[in-house]
Amino acid sequence: MPDKFHPQTRSAPGGAHDATRRALLDAGADVFAEVGFHHATVRDICRRAGANVAAVNYHFGDKETLYAEVLAEQSRLAMALHPLPAAGPDTTPAQRLEDFIRAFLQRVLSAELSARHGRMMAREMVEPTRALDRLVAESIRPQSAALSVILRDLVGPGPSEETLRLLGMSVVGQILFYCHCQPVLIRLFPGMPFNAERLDTLTLHITAFSLAAVRGLSQPPVAPARVPRRPKTPSPPAGRRRRS
Amino acid sequence: MPDKFHPQTRSAPGGAHDATRRALLDAGADVFAEVGFHHATVRDICRRAGANVAAVNYHFGDKETLYAEVLAEQSRLAMALHPLPAAGPDTTPAQRLEDFIRAFLQRVLSAELSARHGRMMAREMVEPTRALDRLVAESIRPQSAALSVILRDLVGPGPSEETLRLLGMSVVGQILFYCHCQPVLIRLFPGMPFNAERLDTLTLHITAFSLAAVRGLSQPPVAPARVPRRPKTPSPPAGRRRRS
Amino acid sequence: MPDKFHPQTRSAPGGAHDATRRALLDAGADVFAEVGFHHATVRDICRRAGANVAAVNYHFGDKETLYAEVLAEQSRLAMALHPLPAAGPDTTPAQRLEDFIRAFLQRVLSAELSARHGRMMAREMVEPTRALDRLVAESIRPQSAALSVILRDLVGPGPSEETLRLLGMSVVGQILFYCHCQPVLIRLFPGMPFNAERLDTLTLHITAFSLAAVRGLSQPPVAPARVPRRPKTPSPPAGRRRRS
Amino acid sequence: MPDKFHPQTRSAPGGAHDATRRALLDAGADVFAEVGFHHATVRDICRRAGANVAAVNYHFGDKETLYAEVLAEQSRLAMALHPLPAAGPDTTPAQRLEDFIRAFLQRVLSAELSARHGRMMAREMVEPTRALDRLVAESIRPQSAALSVILRDLVGPGPSEETLRLLGMSVVGQILFYCHCQPVLIRLFPGMPFNAERLDTLTLHITAFSLAAVRGLSQPPVAPARVPRRPKTPSPPAGRRRRS
DNA sequence: CATGAATGAGCCTTCATTCAT
DNA sequence: CATGAATGAAGGCTCATTCAT
């Protein structure tokens, strides 16, 4: 059964074949982003694609394979549409961080893509499918590495790899927040868009926030005097404390 | 449907009736956190609760109502188990920020709750149900306000409300990242736990990162000289730039 | 998933529950015997049973389990309706062989059972399902043993177990022929029933044939002189021979 | 449908056209024997034949016609590969019976044909298709007649046609048992092959068994003294008897 | 009151067949 | 001629929900 004949690996473009295939990929992207893998029905996808109920099975074998294909394509599309600007020798690390953040935000919030990539990724976080492994390997890990390089340039050789990872996650966390938490943002600040419209604002804020943080953390000797922190060390015992 | 008569508001405690109701809430919490609302089946929940297939409909009217009840309860539970430590007059804003971050992380990652609250919230972000409105009103908005107060104390009266919001989102984004992106973290850094085990590390990192950022942003006059940033302001035109 | 709740192992009789269950078993027996496992549709079975499409799944878990249940029940039914008559101390082995053959024929051809058991068994021979293992263990092996005992009494202690097996298969082969090859018999000898109607004729023929064979084979010393067989031993080399 | 115009009667041999047709017949034989008509899928057959999905419909009109063609061809093939050895004037009826039994067993069990013919016939018994009529007329009836001739020579002119038929069925029943009941044999006597490997053993056993039976039945006057059978004739009343 | 058998809509998938190219 | 994309009916199964008991 695993070897059932399905022309799923076809790559030759052109022809009526690919028209339906394309329509299915497009319809699938819409539907999967809208309602997620499980709520999506092949019937709906096929209807939107103007194809027969069996079209998904014919072209992709099954719903899950179509999903994986859509996810990968949306990822490639997001990357292609919003690539990291090439950095020259005179591009400062700060600028490269800003570039990274802007590109990342664009990919997950971009109106051109109807934010499909971002929404599909968000769902994947909550209900990972087999497609995630591939995505991590092909897309996320390289991005993570790229960010690490930028951050290393910013902090110098001192901080450990582990510290670098934490810094990176703080940056990425800020970005993804606007993607993952839209439903709350809409309810919390109605009327205020936190999406592609305000992409520039968000980019600049996250960049400035992160740069300030990284610089502040890289210069601990300067800091202690500025703010009268509690004499107690900032590493309190793990147990919960209660103060009057 | 929500207004149908069902004895959900019964007050007589004890007895088999309430025992079943309790069991359903507990089983529901487990199942909903594990597989999400849509994957969860009433049969499964009832079986785990040792109750009849119709028990959910009998006690809660329908699956969605049970879900809302479970979500609200888990939220209350998380709050009760990991409350914000009371701040005294001598508690520094920095300490209060750390407290906020630690409590937040505990609520969403806590092993005691099997991270149920966090996982349910994460799912709610991706596939909001009617229960979210109530949750925002009763739990999220107050938390947001509390964070704003802390941040205002940190930055002084200068920055706008809008800026405060952005700062808050940067803080919260960092926190939620560890909750929302577990599937990627596991694949990206296998063997490295980013959960309750490392709660303290994460708390201190996010706190330090955020404090450094906030302070850096609050003292722009000191910064300019330190790093030779591009003469161009950090607000480049929205269009994409290409450099050699 | 393997532990899904299904009351399939219910045994308490009586009540409306069992009415539907019974109807499904009956309808299933009809349909499975008529068209076989794969051609049978649960829709058809449920319709005939006056039940809902989901009834099979509710009561038996799935189509295959219903089938196994039906097969086992038909087997038990055939056995119960046509048991081997108890043999007394003065019952000759020849009589016991006749009893065995008659009972066997009745079970597979009996009109009372609409020959359901026989037809289901015949299909099982051609397309064995998991249910066959159980059937062999619980029903066929004991029958095989019983026949061996009878034959041993007929041939005495001389012949090997292996020989006994071959004798048994010759007896059973004759019986099953009328069950397995009905479609050919109908076409070959139209108008001549080889079914329950002629059960007695068939019983007596097979009995006489088999007894004569067993006796003839048990007295080889007497035989050689009677018929002028070829001087060549009756065990020719395995290769094919060609004669003018 | 069988009368639709399809170029099946093409006579130009060679060429890709006939090659595909041949490949389909071969692949079809494999698949039909393996899984039966209904489980076989046109896709599978075409794939194995290295042909297009539509090839079956193109070359044979539909699946059923291909099946009939395959069945007929396998039958012819079995006959051609294992013909009845020509009997000379000095060939004894006993030898001719042995020849008949051996050839029959070879046809249905032969490893050269992967027992395809036998398995297809067995399936045909359980789920007759339109192809069976043709098979009975062209192959089975002649074989049946040939057997009758042999048996008539053995029993002399006395016994009726009806008796002859019963004798024939006893012979054929023994043979087919090893073909039809393989699944049970495997489970009942694991490790003991009842297939082509033991063709000679089976041939000799069935021949000896049948000859002894036929002879015994043809000489009733000699028998009575030998075995102290019950005084009651072997034709008991049809009703079931119970003995102490 | 609580049960659990029954419901029926709906989902994914399979498959023989057709038809434009 | 031969292809293979497209068709659409149908099948097994799941599931939240209902309702007689």
Side-chain angles (χ1 to χ4, degrees):
Chain A
M1 297 257 173
D3 272 348
K4 278 278 172 72
F5 172 76
H6 278 120
Q8 356 188 13
T9 49
R10 271 204 146 223
S11 48
H17 178 233
D18 289 295
T20 301
R21 192 186 155 83
R22 252 273 49 84
L24 286 171
L25 283 168
D26 290 340
D30 281 342
V31 176
F32 286 136
E34 255 174 59
V35 302
F37 176 73
H38 284 104
H39 271 54
T41 74
V42 289
R43 284 190 151 74
D44 186 23
I45 294 173
C46 288
R47 185 158 24 81
R48 294 204 202 190
N52 185 275
V53 206
V56 162
N57 264 272
Y58 180 74
H59 285 276
F60 297 92
D62 61 5
K63 184 184 170 187
E64 191 174 344
T65 304
L66 168 61
Y67 174 77
E69 213 100 345
V70 165
L71 189 60
E73 190 183 59
Q74 290 299 316
S75 174
R76 280 195 304 270
L77 217 59
M79 290 297 184
L81 225 59
H82 304 290
L84 207 56
D90 58 338
T91 315
T92 64
Q95 180 58 48
R96 281 157 54 210
L97 181 62
E98 183 187 321
D99 288 343
F100 180 91
I101 291 169
R102 169 170 284 110
F104 204 148
L105 275 170
Q106 283 175 320
R107 288 174 200 146
V108 296
L109 298 182
S110 155
E112 295 142 272
L113 300 166
S114 316
R116 278 196 289 251
H117 178 231
R119 279 187 291 164
M120 290 186 74
M121 287 302 301
R123 291 179 188 284
E124 202 65 28
M125 291 305 96
V126 153
E127 223 151 332
T129 68
R130 259 173 281 167
L132 183 56
D133 296 295
R134 188 176 150 198
L135 219 62
V136 167
E138 294 180 4
S139 169
I140 297 179
R141 191 178 294 281
Q143 289 298 312
S144 168
L147 178 57
S148 282
V149 169
I150 297 172
L151 292 172
R152 177 60 77 193
D153 284 356
L154 276 170
V155 299
S160 68
E161 275 298 306
E162 162 73 4
T163 300
L164 221 60
R165 262 200 290 275
L166 288 170
L167 291 178
M169 294 193 280
S170 280
V171 172
V172 173
Q174 292 177 74
I175 298 172
L176 290 180
F177 179 76
Y178 298 100
C179 172
H180 288 166
C181 296
Q182 285 277 346
V184 164
L185 292 177
I186 289 167
R187 285 164 177 78
L188 210 49
F189 312 116
M192 293 202 64
F194 290 97
N195 51 30
E197 289 181 43
R198 303 210 17 218
L199 202 133
D200 220 59
T201 308
L202 300 182
T203 301
L204 296 181
H205 163 71
I206 297 174
T207 305
F209 189 96
S210 302
L211 278 178
V214 164
R215 285 168 186 152
L217 291 175
S218 303
Q219 304 173 337
V222 193
R226 280 196 302 207
V227 173
R229 287 205 88 195
R230 287 190 308 149
K232 285 168 190 152
T233 136
S235 310
R240 253 176 286 120
R241 297 140 296 136
R242 282 289 175 277
R243 279 142 307 157
S244 54
Chain B
M1 296 256 174
D3 276 350
K4 271 196 183 164
F5 173 73
H6 282 285
Q8 2 188 5
T9 48
R10 271 201 145 220
S11 48
H17 187 259
D18 286 302
T20 298
R21 192 185 154 82
R22 233 321 358 110
L24 286 172
L25 283 168
D26 290 339
D30 279 342
V31 175
F32 286 136
E34 257 173 58
V35 301
F37 176 73
H38 286 106
H39 272 52
T41 72
V42 189
R43 284 199 127 79
D44 188 22
I45 294 173
C46 289
R47 184 161 45 78
R48 293 205 203 190
N52 186 273
V53 206
V56 162
N57 278 274
Y58 180 74
H59 284 276
F60 297 92
D62 61 6
K63 186 184 169 188
E64 194 173 344
T65 304
L66 167 62
Y67 174 77
E69 212 98 348
V70 165
L71 188 60
E73 188 182 63
Q74 290 299 314
S75 176
R76 280 195 303 271
L77 216 59
M79 291 296 185
L81 224 57
H82 304 288
L84 206 57
D90 58 338
T91 313
T92 64
Q95 181 58 46
R96 280 157 53 211
L97 180 62
E98 184 187 319
D99 288 343
F100 180 90
I101 291 169
R102 168 169 284 112
F104 204 147
L105 275 170
Q106 284 174 321
R107 288 172 201 147
V108 294
L109 298 182
S110 155
E112 294 141 272
L113 300 165
S114 315
R116 279 196 289 253
H117 178 232
R119 281 187 290 164
M120 290 186 74
M121 287 303 300
R123 292 178 189 284
E124 202 64 26
M125 291 305 95
V126 153
E127 224 151 331
T129 67
R130 264 174 270 164
L132 184 56
D133 297 296
R134 188 176 150 199
L135 218 62
V136 167
E138 295 180 3
S139 168
I140 296 177
R141 189 178 297 281
Q143 290 296 311
S144 169
L147 178 58
S148 284
V149 169
I150 296 171
L151 291 172
R152 176 62 76 194
D153 285 356
L154 276 170
V155 299
S160 66
E161 273 299 306
E162 161 74 3
T163 299
L164 222 59
R165 263 201 289 276
L166 288 171
L167 291 178
M169 294 194 279
S170 280
V171 173
V172 174
Q174 291 178 77
I175 297 171
L176 289 180
F177 177 77
Y178 298 100
C179 173
H180 288 167
C181 295
Q182 286 277 346
V184 164
L185 291 177
I186 288 168
R187 285 164 176 78
L188 210 49
F189 310 115
M192 293 203 64
F194 291 99
N195 50 30
E197 289 180 43
R198 302 210 17 216
L199 203 133
D200 220 60
T201 307
L202 301 181
T203 301
L204 297 182
H205 163 72
I206 297 174
T207 305
F209 189 97
S210 303
L211 279 179
V214 165
R215 285 166 186 155
L217 292 175
S218 306
Q219 307 174 336
V222 193
R226 278 195 301 204
V227 174
R229 287 205 89 194
R230 288 189 309 151
K232 286 167 187 155
T233 123
S235 312
R240 254 177 286 119
R241 297 139 296 136
R242 281 288 173 277
R243 282 142 306 159
S244 55
Chain C
M1 296 252 175
D3 271 348
K4 279 275 173 74
F5 173 77
H6 279 121
Q8 356 189 14
T9 48
R10 261 196 156 232
S11 48
H17 178 234
D18 288 296
T20 300
R21 192 186 156 83
R22 251 272 52 84
L24 286 172
L25 282 169
D26 290 339
D30 280 342
V31 176
F32 286 136
E34 256 173 60
V35 302
F37 176 73
H38 285 104
H39 270 54
T41 73
V42 288
R43 285 186 153 76
D44 185 23
I45 294 173
C46 288
R47 187 158 23 81
R48 294 205 202 189
N52 185 274
V53 205
V56 162
N57 264 273
Y58 179 75
H59 284 276
F60 296 93
D62 60 6
K63 185 184 169 188
E64 192 174 342
T65 304
L66 168 61
Y67 174 77
E69 213 100 345
V70 165
L71 190 60
E73 189 183 62
Q74 291 298 315
S75 175
R76 279 195 304 269
L77 218 59
M79 290 296 183
L81 225 58
H82 304 289
L84 208 56
D90 57 338
T91 314
T92 64
Q95 181 58 48
R96 280 155 54 209
L97 180 63
E98 185 187 319
D99 288 344
F100 180 90
I101 292 169
R102 168 169 283 112
F104 204 147
L105 276 170
Q106 283 174 321
R107 289 173 199 147
V108 294
L109 298 182
S110 155
E112 294 141 272
L113 300 165
S114 315
R116 280 196 289 250
H117 178 231
R119 280 187 289 163
M120 290 186 73
M121 286 303 300
R123 291 178 189 284
E124 201 64 29
M125 292 304 96
V126 154
E127 225 151 331
T129 68
R130 259 173 281 168
L132 183 56
D133 296 294
R134 187 176 150 197
L135 219 61
V136 167
E138 295 181 3
S139 168
I140 297 179
R141 191 179 294 281
Q143 290 297 311
S144 168
L147 178 58
S148 283
V149 169
I150 297 172
L151 291 172
R152 176 62 76 193
D153 285 355
L154 277 170
V155 298
S160 67
E161 275 298 305
E162 161 73 5
T163 300
L164 222 60
R165 263 200 290 275
L166 288 170
L167 292 178
M169 294 193 279
S170 280
V171 172
V172 174
Q174 293 177 74
I175 298 171
L176 290 180
F177 178 76
Y178 298 101
C179 172
H180 289 165
C181 295
Q182 286 277 347
V184 164
L185 292 177
I186 288 167
R187 285 164 177 78
L188 209 50
F189 312 116
M192 292 203 64
F194 290 97
N195 51 29
E197 289 182 43
R198 302 213 15 220
L199 203 134
D200 219 59
T201 308
L202 300 182
T203 301
L204 296 180
H205 164 71
I206 297 174
T207 305
F209 189 96
S210 302
L211 278 178
V214 165
R215 285 168 186 153
L217 291 175
S218 304
Q219 304 173 339
V222 194
R226 281 194 300 206
V227 173
R229 288 205 90 194
R230 287 188 309 147
K232 286 168 192 156
T233 134
S235 312
R240 253 177 285 119
R241 296 140 298 134
R242 281 290 175 278
R243 279 142 308 156
S244 54
Chain D
M1 298 255 174
D3 275 351
K4 269 197 186 163
F5 173 74
H6 282 285
Q8 3 187 4
T9 49
R10 272 204 145 218
S11 48
H17 187 258
D18 285 303
T20 298
R21 192 186 154 81
R22 229 330 351 112
L24 285 172
L25 283 168
D26 290 338
D30 280 341
V31 176
F32 286 136
E34 256 174 59
V35 302
F37 176 73
H38 286 105
H39 272 54
T41 73
V42 188
R43 284 200 128 78
D44 188 22
I45 294 172
C46 289
R47 185 163 42 80
R48 293 205 202 191
N52 185 273
V53 207
V56 162
N57 278 274
Y58 181 74
H59 285 276
F60 296 92
D62 60 7
K63 185 185 171 188
E64 193 173 344
T65 303
L66 168 62
Y67 174 77
E69 212 99 347
V70 165
L71 188 60
E73 188 181 64
Q74 289 300 313
S75 175
R76 280 195 304 271
L77 216 59
M79 291 296 185
L81 224 57
H82 304 289
L84 207 56
D90 58 339
T91 314
T92 63
Q95 181 58 47
R96 281 157 54 211
L97 181 62
E98 184 185 320
D99 288 343
F100 179 90
I101 291 168
R102 169 169 283 112
F104 204 147
L105 276 169
Q106 284 175 321
R107 289 173 200 144
V108 294
L109 298 182
S110 155
E112 294 141 90
L113 301 165
S114 315
R116 279 197 290 253
H117 177 232
R119 280 188 290 164
M120 289 185 76
M121 287 302 301
R123 292 179 189 284
E124 202 63 27
M125 291 305 95
V126 152
E127 225 151 332
T129 69
R130 264 174 270 165
L132 184 55
D133 296 297
R134 187 175 150 199
L135 218 62
V136 167
E138 295 181 3
S139 168
I140 297 177
R141 190 179 296 281
Q143 290 297 311
S144 168
L147 179 57
S148 284
V149 169
I150 297 171
L151 290 172
R152 176 60 78 193
D153 285 355
L154 276 171
V155 299
S160 67
E161 274 299 307
E162 161 73 3
T163 300
L164 222 59
R165 263 200 291 275
L166 288 170
L167 291 178
M169 293 193 281
S170 280
V171 172
V172 174
Q174 291 177 76
I175 298 171
L176 290 180
F177 178 76
Y178 298 100
C179 173
H180 288 165
C181 295
Q182 286 277 347
V184 164
L185 292 177
I186 288 167
R187 285 165 176 77
L188 210 49
F189 311 115
M192 293 202 65
F194 291 99
N195 50 30
E197 288 180 45
R198 302 210 19 215
L199 202 134
D200 220 60
T201 308
L202 301 182
T203 301
L204 296 181
H205 164 71
I206 297 174
T207 305
F209 189 96
S210 302
L211 278 178
V214 166
R215 283 167 187 156
L217 292 175
S218 305
Q219 305 173 341
V222 192
R226 278 196 301 205
V227 174
R229 288 204 89 194
R230 287 190 309 152
K232 285 166 189 154
T233 124
S235 311
R240 253 179 286 120
R241 297 140 294 138
R242 281 288 174 279
R243 282 143 304 161
S244 56

